[in-house]
Amino acid sequence: MSNPAVKRTAVFRTEASPEIGGGHLIRCLSLADGLSKEGWKCVFAVTGKTPDTVPALNDSGHAIQILSGPAGDEPADIASKWGDGYVFLIVDHYGRDEKFEGACRSWADGILVIDDLANRPHDCDFLLDQTLGRGREDYAPGVNRECRMLLGPDYALLREQFPAAREEALSRRMKAGAVRRILISLGATDPEDVNSLALRGVARSGADAAVDVVMGSQSPNLEKVNKIAEEMPQRVRVLTDVSNMAGLMASADLSVGAAGVSTWERCCLGLPSIVIIRAESQRLQGQFVKESGLAIVLGWTHEVSEEDIAGAIALLAEDSARRLEIGGAASAACDGRGVERTVREIDKLTRPKSLVAG
């Protein structure tokens, strides 16, 4: 049993913005919710753009610290407010590395880094990379030998709603009915406007299906997408700042999405998907998803046309056996319990040191 007298605080240094999207923040919110259930106080140390980009942060109930100074001042700024008791630092930020993490060692009792680029050294006790196909060698020698590596989709940080919806969603998939609902979800901000491309692909496919498009309210292309939706031959709903994403995925028969964080949400629910690679951080995952048959991967954004999307939709709509095959492989790759596993790993570090009564 943990000692209730010890104050445990998890500080998340992460970010969201129209430029980088909201994936980092969403997976951190998932982990924060899991830690909160175990009695942790969770704090998000972010810049001012973050709550505006992902309003779910404001509604999460977790504490928020807005950082406004230079990056070099952040370790001291965070410590001045949250440095008491047992403090565990979680870093999910492409702009931070061993220099930042090392500067936090004076007050952080443990450090978890969440990464998917493997392009810089880290000073941490845990490194989590949920990318399919990732190995420890990808990060060596950039992490110390004692660092515990949490690799692959077993550690995918999904919100609780996904494993909760899994059984019912997979049961529905087994019926392999016609494609009646298509989900398009290509990131909260979608600065490259891939949603418009996907919608035109759906229109060209001639699919007899309703369409849900999920975006963030701060997306610069929201107005354009709404206009295209109004002109579509299919019935289209454009939904913003969705809280029940698992419900939408569970009710969809087919999805067009990116190769990032949402990959494992779709896999957890066995949703047959057409995938577009949108960033370097998605390159390796997109490659392994394709090779493992977890989705139809069309390639990078600049390589994909609306004709490509239309063809893939028509193919899957007409081939229920192929949809079953893809959905089955996807669901076997991720059970949605990554938060539970990660919290257990953190608990192994924290309990023996100071959180167990003698």
Side-chain angles (χ1 to χ4, degrees):
M1 294 289 292
S2 298
N3 183 351
V6 177
K7 176 184 176 183
R8 296 189 296 174
T9 303
V11 177
F12 290 79
R13 179 63 188 102
T14 187
E15 209 68 79
S17 72
E19 295 76 26
I20 67 172
H24 298 273
L25 183 68
I26 292 298
R27 64 188 177 191
C28 285
L29 279 171
S30 302
L31 180 55
D33 290 344
L35 288 168
S36 292
K37 288 184 176 180
E38 297 300 315
W40 290 76
K41 178 181 180 63
C42 293
V43 178
F44 281 78
V46 298
T47 59
K49 287 184 178 181
T50 299
D52 293 333
T53 304
V54 182
L57 176 59
N58 290 321
D59 300 331
S60 68
H62 302 305
I64 302 172
Q65 179 184 3
I66 300 298
L67 302 172
S68 57
D73 293 345
E74 289 179 1
D77 290 346
I78 296 170
S80 67
K81 195 165 185 180
W82 311 106
D84 297 331
Y86 189 100
V87 182
F88 193 82
L89 175 66
I90 296 106
V91 184
D92 189 351
H93 195 305
Y94 292 154
R96 301 295 178 268
D97 58 14
E98 65 176 352
K99 182 178 179 181
F100 169 78
E101 296 144 13
C104 296
R105 281 292 188 187
S106 61
W107 52 266
D109 296 282
I111 298 176
L112 164 68
V113 167
I114 303 171
D115 196 8
D116 44 32
L117 287 178
N119 66 348
R120 61 202 188 282
H122 292 292
D123 179 2
C124 55
D125 303 291
F126 298 97
L127 192 146
L128 189 157
D129 187 335
Q130 58 194 33
T131 304
L132 183 66
R134 187 66 81 192
R136 186 184 183 96
E137 65 277 5
D138 294 320
Y139 284 94
V143 295
N144 61 63
R145 292 181 180 179
E146 293 73 33
C147 178
R148 174 84 168 96
M149 307 295 283
L150 312 178
L151 303 177
D154 279 351
Y155 294 98
L157 301 175
L158 305 190
R159 288 163 284 179
E160 185 180 15
Q161 60 184 261
F162 289 95
R166 177 174 165 87
E167 183 177 354
E168 183 176 348
L170 296 185
S171 176
R172 179 178 174 275
R173 303 274 179 244
M174 293 303 297
K175 298 176 183 177
V179 172
R180 297 301 185 195
R181 185 168 295 278
I182 298 172
L183 174 66
I184 299 175
S185 179
L186 288 151
T189 56
D190 186 25
E192 297 170 314
D193 193 25
V194 191
N195 280 298
S196 293
L197 176 70
L199 274 175
R200 291 194 294 268
V202 172
R204 184 180 286 268
S205 76
D208 182 17
V211 182
D212 290 328
V213 184
V214 176
M215 304 177 67
S217 59
Q218 300 301 306
S219 171
N221 297 300
L222 181 58
E223 184 176 349
K224 179 180 179 181
V225 169
N226 272 311
K227 184 176 181 180
I228 294 174
E230 291 172 0
E231 299 169 351
M232 290 273 292
Q234 293 90 356
R235 182 172 62 85
V236 180
R237 298 189 301 175
V238 180
L239 308 171
T240 58
D241 302 332
V242 169
S243 59
N244 184 22
M245 194 66 188
L248 285 177
M249 286 188 179
S251 62
D253 303 299
L254 187 61
S255 174
V256 181
V261 175
S262 61
T263 296
W264 304 121
E265 296 174 349
R266 297 189 299 267
C267 283
C268 177
L269 302 182
L271 178 57
S273 300
I274 298 160
V275 168
I276 299 171
I277 302 171
R278 301 196 52 198
E280 177 59 28
S281 60
Q282 301 176 9
R283 176 185 58 80
L284 181 66
Q285 183 150 286
Q287 173 188 330
F288 277 94
V289 164
K290 181 177 182 178
E291 293 174 355
S292 303
L294 310 187
I296 292 179
V297 180
L298 297 181
W300 288 76
T301 301
H302 65 274
E303 301 172 332
V304 177
S305 67
E306 60 186 75
E307 291 83 3
D308 295 330
I309 296 171
I313 290 172
L315 172 68
L316 289 181
E318 295 168 3
D319 192 341
S320 60
R322 181 75 182 278
R323 295 200 310 274
L324 275 173
E325 179 184 5
I326 291 174
S331 64
C334 181
D335 63 5
R337 302 289 179 184
V339 167
E340 293 179 20
R341 295 184 181 99
T342 304
V343 170
R344 284 201 299 268
E345 291 293 337
I346 293 173
D347 205 41
K348 289 177 186 177
L349 175 72
T350 60
R351 284 192 177 189
K353 288 187 175 181
S354 58
L355 298 181
V356 178

